[in-house]
Amino acid sequence: MKMVLIGAPAAGKGTQAARLVKHYGIAHISTGDMLREEVAKGTELGNEAKSIMAVGGLVSDELIIAIVKERIKKDDCKKGFILDGFPRTVVQAEKLKEMVELDKVVYINAPDDVMLQRLTARQTCPKCGATYNKLFLPSKTEDICDVCGEKLTQRKDDTAEAGQKRLDTFHEQSEPLVGFYTKEGILFEVDGTQDIDEITKEIIKGLDA
Ligand code: AP5
Ligand code: MG
């Protein structure tokens, strides 16, 4: 299974990917998570990406394509993978097409106001990567990760201002991917406003069809 999850910021890509990798036993490749790791380590790449990510822009196609090209060569991708947050431009999609043959592309669709509400309430665990939501998926103990007990943090780009900019960037640069993959005949859309479990069920049904 080689698949892509497309969706605006906070559409639920990471949440669904975490469930799907367990179900299918495949690798999860989140370009956003990979970039945040580089930022945390203070590498050259991280320093280059940091300011762009903070204001909700996109890092260069060239850079991100090179990262993904290396990542999908790793052993854990042999059984398949879920790309979460890549491609994000038609240029990236065209390059990906040269690298692999995709089975399916899932578009998680939800209105902007829903996504803005979700992203400003998101909390993440800096240690194990678990994701929570103060409104929709709270941790059992406030601000503490259920899985590993670490104190939860908020992403720097999860403010109303950066969130709106990320949504605008999605509509301008990433939404054309829906048309691109519809033409390729491999896209299906799910309603991202449903419950998390309902969305997972619908995606699995679509992937196994
Ligand atoms: P990235 O980390 O990919 O951010 P994003 O696309 O903005 O998406 P998010 O991670 O914010 O949302 P998500 O869809 O994963 O939602 P989640 O499941 O967490 O990228 C960050 C930045 O890196 C980009 O802005 C860009 O600068 C750069 N970048 C990355 N890839 C790039 C590329 N290919 N090219 C160029 N630049 C790139 O859910 C969100 C919240 O909602 C959580 O709190 C969750 O608990 C909750 N939630 C999820 N589903 C539901 C539901 N159904 N109901 C209620 N709550 C829900
Ligand atoms: Mg994510």
Side-chain angles (χ1 to χ4, degrees), residues 6 90 94 97 105 175-188:
I6 298 177
V90 171
E94 278 163 350
K97 197 178 167 185
V105 174
E175 220 162 46
L177 293 171
V178 175
F180 180 93
Y181 285 119
T182 301
K183 265 196 208 142
E184 297 275 311
I186 53 173
L187 182 125
F188 71 93

PDB file of all heavy atoms in Angstrom, residues 6 90 94 97 105 175-188:
ATOM      1  N   ILE A   6      -4.135  13.825   1.708  1.00  0.00           N
ATOM      2  CA  ILE A   6      -4.185  15.260   1.441  1.00  0.00           C
ATOM      3  C   ILE A   6      -5.241  15.871   2.359  1.00  0.00           C
ATOM      4  O   ILE A   6      -6.302  15.272   2.573  1.00  0.00           O
ATOM      5  CB  ILE A   6      -4.619  15.556  -0.014  1.00  0.00           C
ATOM      6  CG1 ILE A   6      -3.620  14.985  -1.012  1.00  0.00           C
ATOM      7  CG2 ILE A   6      -4.777  17.054  -0.244  1.00  0.00           C
ATOM      8  CD1 ILE A   6      -4.053  15.198  -2.466  1.00  0.00           C
ATOM      9  N   VAL A  90       1.738  20.889  -7.051  1.00  0.00           N
ATOM     10  CA  VAL A  90       1.674  20.031  -8.238  1.00  0.00           C
ATOM     11  C   VAL A  90       3.090  19.627  -8.667  1.00  0.00           C
ATOM     12  O   VAL A  90       3.311  18.496  -9.105  1.00  0.00           O
ATOM     13  CB  VAL A  90       0.879  20.746  -9.364  1.00  0.00           C
ATOM     14  CG1 VAL A  90       0.992  19.976 -10.665  1.00  0.00           C
ATOM     15  CG2 VAL A  90      -0.581  20.893  -8.959  1.00  0.00           C
ATOM     16  N   GLU A  94       4.226  15.805  -9.324  1.00  0.00           N
ATOM     17  CA  GLU A  94       4.827  15.315 -10.573  1.00  0.00           C
ATOM     18  C   GLU A  94       6.132  14.574 -10.293  1.00  0.00           C
ATOM     19  O   GLU A  94       6.409  13.534 -10.890  1.00  0.00           O
ATOM     20  CB  GLU A  94       5.047  16.477 -11.540  1.00  0.00           C
ATOM     21  CG  GLU A  94       3.756  16.794 -12.287  1.00  0.00           C
ATOM     22  CD  GLU A  94       3.730  18.156 -12.946  1.00  0.00           C
ATOM     23  OE1 GLU A  94       4.650  18.968 -12.687  1.00  0.00           O
ATOM     24  OE2 GLU A  94       2.765  18.407 -13.697  1.00  0.00           O
ATOM     25  N   LYS A  97       5.441  11.163  -8.797  1.00  0.00           N
ATOM     26  CA  LYS A  97       4.991  10.230  -9.836  1.00  0.00           C
ATOM     27  C   LYS A  97       6.195   9.561 -10.514  1.00  0.00           C
ATOM     28  O   LYS A  97       6.133   8.394 -10.897  1.00  0.00           O
ATOM     29  CB  LYS A  97       4.150  10.997 -10.859  1.00  0.00           C
ATOM     30  CG  LYS A  97       3.313  10.103 -11.731  1.00  0.00           C
ATOM     31  CD  LYS A  97       2.459  10.896 -12.685  1.00  0.00           C
ATOM     32  CE  LYS A  97       1.896   9.967 -13.746  1.00  0.00           C
ATOM     33  NZ  LYS A  97       1.163  10.691 -14.775  1.00  0.00           N
ATOM     34  N   VAL A 105      -5.026   7.971  -3.168  1.00  0.00           N
ATOM     35  CA  VAL A 105      -4.851   9.270  -2.525  1.00  0.00           C
ATOM     36  C   VAL A 105      -6.169   9.597  -1.821  1.00  0.00           C
ATOM     37  O   VAL A 105      -7.236   9.533  -2.434  1.00  0.00           O
ATOM     38  CB  VAL A 105      -4.514  10.365  -3.563  1.00  0.00           C
ATOM     39  CG1 VAL A 105      -4.473  11.743  -2.912  1.00  0.00           C
ATOM     40  CG2 VAL A 105      -3.185  10.059  -4.250  1.00  0.00           C
ATOM     41  N   GLU A 175      -4.571  22.661  -2.907  1.00  0.00           N
ATOM     42  CA  GLU A 175      -5.883  22.202  -3.366  1.00  0.00           C
ATOM     43  C   GLU A 175      -5.868  21.729  -4.830  1.00  0.00           C
ATOM     44  O   GLU A 175      -6.597  20.778  -5.171  1.00  0.00           O
ATOM     45  CB  GLU A 175      -6.941  23.291  -3.162  1.00  0.00           C
ATOM     46  CG  GLU A 175      -8.250  22.718  -2.667  1.00  0.00           C
ATOM     47  CD  GLU A 175      -9.142  23.777  -2.052  1.00  0.00           C
ATOM     48  OE1 GLU A 175      -9.306  24.868  -2.652  1.00  0.00           O
ATOM     49  OE2 GLU A 175      -9.648  23.524  -0.952  1.00  0.00           O
ATOM     50  N   PRO A 176      -5.036  22.339  -5.708  1.00  0.00           N
ATOM     51  CA  PRO A 176      -4.968  21.824  -7.092  1.00  0.00           C
ATOM     52  C   PRO A 176      -4.604  20.340  -7.176  1.00  0.00           C
ATOM     53  O   PRO A 176      -4.850  19.692  -8.193  1.00  0.00           O
ATOM     54  CB  PRO A 176      -3.866  22.690  -7.731  1.00  0.00           C
ATOM     55  CG  PRO A 176      -3.880  23.967  -6.952  1.00  0.00           C
ATOM     56  CD  PRO A 176      -4.222  23.569  -5.537  1.00  0.00           C
ATOM     57  N   LEU A 177      -4.060  19.777  -6.103  1.00  0.00           N
ATOM     58  CA  LEU A 177      -3.719  18.344  -6.099  1.00  0.00           C
ATOM     59  C   LEU A 177      -4.973  17.470  -6.202  1.00  0.00           C
ATOM     60  O   LEU A 177      -4.912  16.343  -6.692  1.00  0.00           O
ATOM     61  CB  LEU A 177      -2.976  17.971  -4.809  1.00  0.00           C
ATOM     62  CG  LEU A 177      -1.592  18.580  -4.634  1.00  0.00           C
ATOM     63  CD1 LEU A 177      -1.074  18.313  -3.237  1.00  0.00           C
ATOM     64  CD2 LEU A 177      -0.641  18.017  -5.674  1.00  0.00           C
ATOM     65  N   VAL A 178      -6.095  18.008  -5.718  1.00  0.00           N
ATOM     66  CA  VAL A 178      -7.349  17.240  -5.782  1.00  0.00           C
ATOM     67  C   VAL A 178      -7.691  16.977  -7.253  1.00  0.00           C
ATOM     68  O   VAL A 178      -8.001  15.853  -7.644  1.00  0.00           O
ATOM     69  CB  VAL A 178      -8.488  17.996  -5.049  1.00  0.00           C
ATOM     70  CG1 VAL A 178      -9.815  17.277  -5.208  1.00  0.00           C
ATOM     71  CG2 VAL A 178      -8.140  18.158  -3.565  1.00  0.00           C
ATOM     72  N   GLY A 179      -7.565  18.002  -8.076  1.00  0.00           N
ATOM     73  CA  GLY A 179      -7.815  17.842  -9.512  1.00  0.00           C
ATOM     74  C   GLY A 179      -6.768  16.939 -10.152  1.00  0.00           C
ATOM     75  O   GLY A 179      -7.095  16.078 -10.981  1.00  0.00           O
ATOM     76  N   PHE A 180      -5.524  17.118  -9.729  1.00  0.00           N
ATOM     77  CA  PHE A 180      -4.417  16.330 -10.290  1.00  0.00           C
ATOM     78  C   PHE A 180      -4.662  14.831 -10.088  1.00  0.00           C
ATOM     79  O   PHE A 180      -4.590  14.043 -11.027  1.00  0.00           O
ATOM     80  CB  PHE A 180      -3.110  16.770  -9.602  1.00  0.00           C
ATOM     81  CG  PHE A 180      -1.871  16.049 -10.076  1.00  0.00           C
ATOM     82  CD1 PHE A 180      -1.082  16.570 -11.100  1.00  0.00           C
ATOM     83  CD2 PHE A 180      -1.484  14.841  -9.502  1.00  0.00           C
ATOM     84  CE1 PHE A 180       0.057  15.899 -11.543  1.00  0.00           C
ATOM     85  CE2 PHE A 180      -0.342  14.162  -9.931  1.00  0.00           C
ATOM     86  CZ  PHE A 180       0.437  14.697 -10.956  1.00  0.00           C
ATOM     87  N   TYR A 181      -5.014  14.445  -8.846  1.00  0.00           N
ATOM     88  CA  TYR A 181      -5.180  13.015  -8.559  1.00  0.00           C
ATOM     89  C   TYR A 181      -6.545  12.479  -8.998  1.00  0.00           C
ATOM     90  O   TYR A 181      -6.699  11.275  -9.180  1.00  0.00           O
ATOM     91  CB  TYR A 181      -4.909  12.737  -7.076  1.00  0.00           C
ATOM     92  CG  TYR A 181      -3.432  12.789  -6.751  1.00  0.00           C
ATOM     93  CD1 TYR A 181      -2.924  13.706  -5.835  1.00  0.00           C
ATOM     94  CD2 TYR A 181      -2.536  11.917  -7.370  1.00  0.00           C
ATOM     95  CE1 TYR A 181      -1.563  13.758  -5.546  1.00  0.00           C
ATOM     96  CE2 TYR A 181      -1.178  11.966  -7.086  1.00  0.00           C
ATOM     97  CZ  TYR A 181      -0.699  12.880  -6.180  1.00  0.00           C
ATOM     98  OH  TYR A 181       0.651  12.934  -5.898  1.00  0.00           O
ATOM     99  N   THR A 182      -7.531  13.380  -9.164  1.00  0.00           N
ATOM    100  CA  THR A 182      -8.808  12.937  -9.733  1.00  0.00           C
ATOM    101  C   THR A 182      -8.559  12.500 -11.180  1.00  0.00           C
ATOM    102  O   THR A 182      -9.032  11.459 -11.628  1.00  0.00           O
ATOM    103  CB  THR A 182      -9.850  14.077  -9.674  1.00  0.00           C
ATOM    104  OG1 THR A 182     -10.018  14.453  -8.304  1.00  0.00           O
ATOM    105  CG2 THR A 182     -11.199  13.640 -10.233  1.00  0.00           C
ATOM    106  N   LYS A 183      -7.782  13.299 -11.888  1.00  0.00           N
ATOM    107  CA  LYS A 183      -7.435  12.950 -13.277  1.00  0.00           C
ATOM    108  C   LYS A 183      -6.672  11.634 -13.343  1.00  0.00           C
ATOM    109  O   LYS A 183      -6.830  10.854 -14.274  1.00  0.00           O
ATOM    110  CB  LYS A 183      -6.554  14.054 -13.875  1.00  0.00           C
ATOM    111  CG  LYS A 183      -7.316  15.069 -14.661  1.00  0.00           C
ATOM    112  CD  LYS A 183      -6.369  15.875 -15.541  1.00  0.00           C
ATOM    113  CE  LYS A 183      -6.971  17.256 -15.780  1.00  0.00           C
ATOM    114  NZ  LYS A 183      -5.973  18.310 -15.787  1.00  0.00           N
ATOM    115  N   GLU A 184      -5.835  11.403 -12.330  1.00  0.00           N
ATOM    116  CA  GLU A 184      -5.062  10.153 -12.294  1.00  0.00           C
ATOM    117  C   GLU A 184      -5.952   8.953 -11.966  1.00  0.00           C
ATOM    118  O   GLU A 184      -5.537   7.812 -12.079  1.00  0.00           O
ATOM    119  CB  GLU A 184      -3.972  10.233 -11.214  1.00  0.00           C
ATOM    120  CG  GLU A 184      -2.923  11.314 -11.442  1.00  0.00           C
ATOM    121  CD  GLU A 184      -1.791  10.851 -12.342  1.00  0.00           C
ATOM    122  OE1 GLU A 184      -1.241   9.768 -12.102  1.00  0.00           O
ATOM    123  OE2 GLU A 184      -1.482  11.571 -13.306  1.00  0.00           O
ATOM    124  N   GLY A 185      -7.180   9.253 -11.468  1.00  0.00           N
ATOM    125  CA  GLY A 185      -8.155   8.200 -11.174  1.00  0.00           C
ATOM    126  C   GLY A 185      -7.894   7.450  -9.874  1.00  0.00           C
ATOM    127  O   GLY A 185      -8.382   6.341  -9.682  1.00  0.00           O
ATOM    128  N   ILE A 186      -7.135   8.059  -8.949  1.00  0.00           N
ATOM    129  CA  ILE A 186      -6.821   7.334  -7.708  1.00  0.00           C
ATOM    130  C   ILE A 186      -7.284   8.075  -6.444  1.00  0.00           C
ATOM    131  O   ILE A 186      -6.983   7.661  -5.340  1.00  0.00           O
ATOM    132  CB  ILE A 186      -5.302   7.012  -7.597  1.00  0.00           C
ATOM    133  CG1 ILE A 186      -4.441   8.258  -7.786  1.00  0.00           C
ATOM    134  CG2 ILE A 186      -4.902   5.915  -8.570  1.00  0.00           C
ATOM    135  CD1 ILE A 186      -2.949   8.029  -7.517  1.00  0.00           C
ATOM    136  N   LEU A 187      -8.027   9.178  -6.620  1.00  0.00           N
ATOM    137  CA  LEU A 187      -8.419   9.971  -5.444  1.00  0.00           C
ATOM    138  C   LEU A 187      -9.813   9.616  -4.941  1.00  0.00           C
ATOM    139  O   LEU A 187     -10.723   9.399  -5.723  1.00  0.00           O
ATOM    140  CB  LEU A 187      -8.393  11.464  -5.788  1.00  0.00           C
ATOM    141  CG  LEU A 187      -8.742  12.400  -4.628  1.00  0.00           C
ATOM    142  CD1 LEU A 187      -7.627  13.420  -4.410  1.00  0.00           C
ATOM    143  CD2 LEU A 187     -10.052  13.132  -4.845  1.00  0.00           C
ATOM    144  N   PHE A 188      -9.957   9.514  -3.610  1.00  0.00           N
ATOM    145  CA  PHE A 188     -11.309   9.545  -3.054  1.00  0.00           C
ATOM    146  C   PHE A 188     -11.342  10.478  -1.856  1.00  0.00           C
ATOM    147  O   PHE A 188     -10.336  10.694  -1.189  1.00  0.00           O
ATOM    148  CB  PHE A 188     -11.871   8.148  -2.765  1.00  0.00           C
ATOM    149  CG  PHE A 188     -11.245   7.433  -1.599  1.00  0.00           C
ATOM    150  CD1 PHE A 188     -11.805   7.522  -0.326  1.00  0.00           C
ATOM    151  CD2 PHE A 188     -10.113   6.659  -1.773  1.00  0.00           C
ATOM    152  CE1 PHE A 188     -11.243   6.857   0.757  1.00  0.00           C
ATOM    153  CE2 PHE A 188      -9.540   5.981  -0.699  1.00  0.00           C
ATOM    154  CZ  PHE A 188     -10.105   6.079   0.564  1.00  0.00           C
TER     155      PHE A 188
END
